[in-house]
Amino acid sequence: MTPILVGLDIGGTSVKAVAVSPGDPTGPALAEVRHRTEPGESGIRAGITAAVHSLAAEVGPDAEVAGIGVGIPGFVSRGAVSHAVNLGLGAEPLDLLPTLRSLTSGPVGVENDVNTAALGAGGWVARHDPGVDDYALLNIGTGLAAGLVLDGRLRAGATGMAGEIGHLVFDRSGPTCPCGQTGCLELYASGSGMRRTWSGTARQLLDAAAAGDPVAVRTAADLTAGIAHAITLLAYAPDVALILVTGGVVSRNPALRRAVTARLDHDDHTVVGRAVPVGDRVRWLPEDVAVGTRGAALLVAEGVRV
């Protein structure tokens, strides 16, 4: 038999899956597949089952699923997920553990997708910043959230909310957030926040701001300041050695990365900034680094430190 660990990254549009060797979970992939996401309880369960079976078939007839880890958006507690709007899940928790246990007799695990991405980024960190085992992964996409790896271990927190900085208040005079608060950071430092006042992409926003469009100038300033604030929060609160920044809003936008870097460099010239600089701790994670599926597999890899 060929034992495999399976990592699943369930997103709003696709279910990505990887099979790795239990003896070398950070090594080469044995197989990778991608399926279209079908929202809702039955669709998610069916998607997991189909992806696991597809991976096993890719590996070969002697494949044996030795463990399954899942990264999924939303609130995750003890294997159940809720409030994953893009997946058609509301407040009623969906327990994924029975589905996973029907597919393997080995260990299973479910975690928030940003947390699993943080875990999966460990291989990239090891190659580019050897010896670092304290870092945060800041994901700037439709929303805003971070995952924390401290002393080489994923830190989800006492309630699973570690790194959920999107709903910290950034501007008390700002607009009302869907969460019910006023001026949340996610309203500024995310794709959905940008679209409050701008209908195009982040790249188009920066181009229009450079051309002097007043709406674009204000929106770009808010976006830049919000992202820089999120990075600084992660540098000062858990005091991690590195902040990895990823997500569609920044990954495809060199101009935005330059603007955020300039803002951080400016702040690093303050009294506090000179004492504890933030800018040199930032790493822009390349878009093609598959951290989600790898992190999900690592959830069930025995004794693994990133």
Side-chain angles (χ1 to χ4, degrees):
M1 301 298 290
T2 302
I4 59 172
L5 292 181
V6 171
L8 300 171
D9 182 15
I10 302 176
T13 59
S14 64
V15 178
K16 303 172 188 175
V18 68
V20 297
S21 168
D24 187 17
T26 61
L30 301 178
E32 295 179 275
V33 300
R34 180 190 296 234
H35 289 193
R36 180 179 174 180
T37 299
E38 295 296 337
E41 178 177 338
S42 60
I44 293 169
R45 292 188 189 280
I48 289 172
T49 301
V52 172
H53 287 163
S54 294
L55 276 178
E58 288 283 334
V59 173
D62 63 342
E64 179 181 38
V65 180
I68 306 172
V70 174
I72 189 167
F75 296 161
V76 178
S77 177
R78 298 180 180 179
V81 59
S82 62
H83 300 285
V85 178
N86 289 341
L87 297 178
L89 301 180
E92 184 66 26
L94 169 61
D95 186 359
L96 295 177
L97 295 183
T99 298
L100 300 180
R101 287 171 178 151
S102 71
L103 297 167
T104 180
S105 59
V108 296
V110 183
E111 186 53 84
N112 172 268
D113 59 341
V114 178
N115 286 343
T116 54
L119 192 59
W124 188 89
V125 172
R127 290 191 297 274
H128 292 84
D129 291 274
V132 171
D133 61 2
D134 276 3
Y135 63 86
L137 181 139
L138 177 63
N139 186 68
I140 305 168
T142 302
L144 176 77
L148 300 175
V149 172
L150 305 177
D151 293 328
R153 300 289 187 186
L154 181 66
R155 172 60 176 165
T159 63
M161 295 293 285
E164 293 289 346
I165 62 174
H167 295 288
L168 297 177
V169 174
F170 178 58
D171 180 5
R172 291 189 181 278
S173 63
T176 301
C177 180
C179 80
Q181 298 186 116
T182 299
C184 287
L185 183 56
E186 188 171 280
L187 295 175
Y188 300 88
S190 71
S192 60
M194 177 187 69
R195 284 189 288 273
R196 289 187 301 109
T197 53
W198 182 258
S199 59
T201 66
R203 184 187 292 273
Q204 291 168 339
L205 171 69
L206 270 290
D207 288 343
D213 182 297
V215 174
V217 168
R218 290 194 300 272
T219 303
D222 284 345
L223 180 63
T224 299
I227 293 172
H229 188 70
I231 291 169
T232 303
L233 279 172
L234 294 168
Y236 285 176
D239 193 22
V240 290
L242 297 177
I243 300 97
L244 314 178
V245 187
T246 188
V249 172
V250 295
S251 295
R252 307 182 188 104
N253 198 334
L256 179 57
R257 296 198 295 271
R258 289 193 296 270
V260 172
T261 298
R263 177 63 182 251
L264 292 170
D265 288 345
H266 174 271
D267 293 347
D268 280 348
H269 285 86
T270 64
V271 173
V272 175
R274 286 194 298 270
V276 190
V278 173
D280 60 4
R281 295 193 239 175
V282 175
R283 303 289 185 271
W284 303 99
L285 193 68
E287 188 177 10
D288 60 352
V289 178
V291 294
T293 52
R294 287 306 186 112
L298 288 172
L299 285 175
V300 293
E302 184 177 354
V304 166
R305 288 173 62 88
V306 298

